Structures are given as structure tokens and as C-alpha cells.
Amino acid sequence: MKNNLRAFIRMCTGSLLCAVALNGCQPVGTVDPQPDPQPVVLVKGTSSTVFDVTSRWIVADAYTKEFASTPLMNWSGNVNDCNEGTVSAAYVAAQASRLNFYRAMAGVDGKVVFADSLNRKAQKGVLMLGEAGVLTHAVKKSWKCHSTEGEWAIVNSNLAQTGGSNPDFITQYIADKGDNNADVGHRRWLLSPAVTVMGTGNLLHPKSKIAYNALPMNLSAFSANRMATRSEYVCWPVAGYNPYQLVFPRWSFHLPGADFSKSTVSVMKQGKVVSATIVSNTDTDYGDNALIWEVEAVSKPTADQSYEVTIQNVRQGGQTRSYTYTVRVIDPASK
């Protein structure tokens, strides 16, 4: 998170995510170079919002409650009239809950809130995209539903597009699938300890049945006060118990100010080496610096599975360091 605080990416699969940094989208603003942020580690025994991921029961219970259902969007706008409308308060609350669930799992202490001012801009942004039928940061002032606030949101947001009347955009961002998402920029922003305020805008096009989301952050007011974290690093999947449904093929390890350019990663599943292919180790434009690698897809386990991760040759503050932690994959429905 050193120079360009650019967000976001494009995912070219059935569902789409869009970001400034790739696929010809141009960076639309930078901030002055900042000193590398320092992690703030939680003091043991203090009250926090993070989950105890060393407890299988706590993780399974939290997952079961969080994913029990998702409310319908119930968009009230009209594309033809350029009315951005609103969505149900329950759907917005569910998005905030889902976002903070992932952060609590990852060990980030404190809840992100959706600001009304950002929600308003984001809603105007998805109206522009929905009417134009595109997912892009390259705004055209000729678009029928163009507005200044909507343009700001399109430029400064995570953007997603998918089908369904109650899509889980937050999990889509965390998964960060797609060939052009190797940097997992969406995930890094959503799990960033420096992000404290976001917004959300949502639309379900009545004819195409395509749903759009904009998740903006005001980068010019990027927080200098990091939320405390369970460890000095953040990773996904987490060092602890993980529902198998949330263990995606792309794994990531985030550490502020770290240089991963010469780092290596090895993964052992139940004591046996499995393939771990590094797909990104030098991108510094999305939240904290990160090392990203891919492993075999995880399926529903018949018994809990353990993956030991070892990362070596991490440069930080003039020192070379190594990290080892264990990812435990579970079926939350089993005892």
C-alpha cells in the first residue's frame, strides 16, 4: 500500500468484477507516497470483534448463522427513467454483516460501516452501469443516466456483475476468481485493517436480470489509523479453522511493507507436499502488500483436513523473515 492506492480488478468468468488497475482501465488518481504502515496487533485478553478461529465450534457456528439466508435485493428504481432507486434495508444490512464476518474471520478488529453519502453515490453509479449494460471504470458522459456522483462511484469502487435476485457480492470479492485477479485486489481491500468506511450500491436490471454492485471507498480520506489485527499479518484462508465452502483456490498472505519478490511458499496437506504456485508477489497497489499462490481446489471433507503453510524469504524492515501457520478445513455441518 505504498504508492498508488488504486482499487480493483476485472474477473472474466460468469460473474464479473472490475478494477482500475487491469484490462486497460486507467488509474484515476494517486496519493503522495506514504510510509509503510505498521501493524497493530491485538493485546491478548482484550475485548474484540474477531472470531476465535482456534475453536472449531465458534467458526462452524458463526458460518452457519451468517450464511443461513440472504435477503432479496428488492430494487425500487427504474432504468428507463434514470431513477437509481433503493434496495431493501435488510439486503444492505446483510452485505455489511457478510463483509464484517470475513474481517472477523481474518482477525481484523472492528466493523466497517457503510456511509450514507457513499451509498448514495454508489447507487447512482450502478444505475449508470445497469442502463449502459457494461462493467467498466471508463465512464462516458454520453451515457443516458450519467451523473457526477455516479461517475465518482464508478471510478472509486470495487465493481461486480452477476445474476440472481440476492447475489452474494461480498463472497464474490473475497474469492477473487478469474485469470485477471491474480493480485486478489478486491480481497485485499475488503480485508484491509486501514479500511473503516465503505459504501454500497446495488441494482437488479429488470430485463437482463443482471445484478450490479459498487463498493466504494474514499481513497483520498484513507485511514491512517489501522484497526488492530489478531496477528501482524492477515491471510486467507485463515490460520485456524475454515469452512470448506470459503477456502478458494487462490490463497493470500498480507503484510504491510513486506517485500515478497524473492519469497517462496510450501504447503503440506496432512503431512504430504501439495503443489503451491505463486501467481503474484510484487503488486503493491491494493491494501497491504501480499503474496498470492494457488493450490488444488478444496472439496467437502469427510474429516477435518490440515494444511501447513510455510513462507520464507520475506523482507520487511531490513530483515528476512519466515512464517509458518496451519489452515484447518472443516465441514461446518459435521460435528
Side-chain angles (χ1 to χ4, degrees):
M1 191 181 64
K2 196 170 183 179
N3 292 313
N4 298 334
L5 292 182
R6 306 176 302 185
F8 333 129
I9 333 165
R10 181 176 180 109
M11 181 166 76
C12 298
T13 60
S15 299
L16 295 177
L17 305 176
C18 193
V20 172
L22 301 177
N23 274 7
C25 297
Q26 297 300 312
V28 292
T30 63
V31 297
D32 293 333
Q34 302 293 316
D36 288 329
Q38 297 301 310
V40 180
V41 180
L42 278 168
V43 177
K44 290 185 178 180
T46 58
S47 176
S48 75
T49 62
V50 305
F51 296 147
D52 179 3
V53 294
T54 66
S55 168
R56 190 187 193 282
W57 181 87
I58 288 176
V59 170
D61 183 64
Y63 170 83
T64 302
K65 290 177 179 176
E66 177 61 36
F67 286 83
S69 63
T70 301
L72 294 176
M73 186 185 295
N74 290 331
W75 181 59
S76 67
N78 187 299
V79 172
N80 293 330
D81 295 337
C82 289
N83 175 5
E84 69 270 19
T86 61
V87 298
S88 71
Y91 185 77
V92 173
Q95 280 192 332
S97 177
R98 189 64 46 85
L99 171 59
N100 286 310
F101 165 85
Y102 280 109
R103 290 170 69 89
M105 280 287 295
V108 182
D109 183 34
K111 294 181 180 293
V112 164
V113 297
F114 288 155
D116 289 342
S117 60
L118 295 181
N119 292 346
R120 183 184 67 251
K121 292 176 181 179
Q123 201 61 39
K124 291 179 180 292
V126 292
L127 172 66
M128 290 170 58
L129 296 173
E131 190 281 326
V134 298
L135 193 74
T136 179
H137 288 279
V139 175
K140 294 183 179 180
K141 295 188 183 299
S142 61
W143 287 349
K144 177 182 177 181
C145 297
H146 178 273
S147 67
T148 301
E149 288 190 318
E151 179 172 344
W152 182 94
I154 290 173
V155 166
N156 290 281
S157 294
N158 292 288
L159 300 176
Q161 178 193 78
T162 190
S165 58
N166 60 340
D168 184 358
F169 287 116
I170 302 300
T171 296
Q172 188 177 333
Y173 288 132
I174 295 294
D176 251 354
K177 299 177 182 178
D179 292 343
N180 290 338
N181 280 349
D183 299 320
V184 296
H186 300 93
R187 180 191 298 173
R188 286 159 65 182
W189 280 126
L190 267 61
L191 299 183
S192 171
V195 173
T196 59
V197 178
M198 301 184 82
T200 184
N202 302 275
L203 176 151
L204 177 61
H205 197 287
K207 291 185 178 180
S208 68
K209 304 302 179 184
I210 298 297
Y212 294 83
N213 172 262
L215 202 70
M217 301 181 298
N218 189 347
L219 297 183
S220 65
F222 197 78
S223 175
N225 299 316
R226 295 172 64 88
M227 291 181 175
T229 50
R230 180 191 298 122
S231 305
E232 63 177 310
Y233 61 84
V234 169
C235 62
W236 196 271
V238 305
Y241 287 101
N242 297 261
Y244 77 91
Q245 297 94 329
L246 307 182
V247 179
F248 310 106
R250 204 161 274 160
W251 295 26
S252 57
F253 180 91
H254 318 175
L255 184 65
D259 177 359
F260 294 106
S261 61
K262 298 185 183 304
S263 298
T264 62
V265 61
S266 61
V267 180
M268 298 186 69
K269 175 185 177 182
Q270 303 293 103
K272 296 182 179 180
V273 176
V274 298
S275 176
T277 304
I278 293 175
V279 295
S280 178
N281 61 357
T282 58
D283 191 285
T284 60
D285 291 327
Y286 311 94
D288 288 339
N289 296 354
L291 178 70
I292 300 94
W293 65 97
E294 293 179 346
V295 300
E296 62 186 6
V298 170
S299 57
K300 181 178 178 179
T302 56
D304 295 358
Q305 297 176 342
S306 295
Y307 293 77
E308 184 176 278
V309 177
T310 300
I311 301 171
Q312 296 181 313
N313 297 325
V314 179
R315 293 284 297 173
Q316 187 192 42
Q319 296 181 325
T320 301
R321 308 174 65 186
S322 298
Y323 298 85
T324 298
Y325 58 93
T326 301
V327 172
R328 304 186 188 279
V329 180
I330 65 171
D331 177 3
S334 68
K335 303 298 183 182

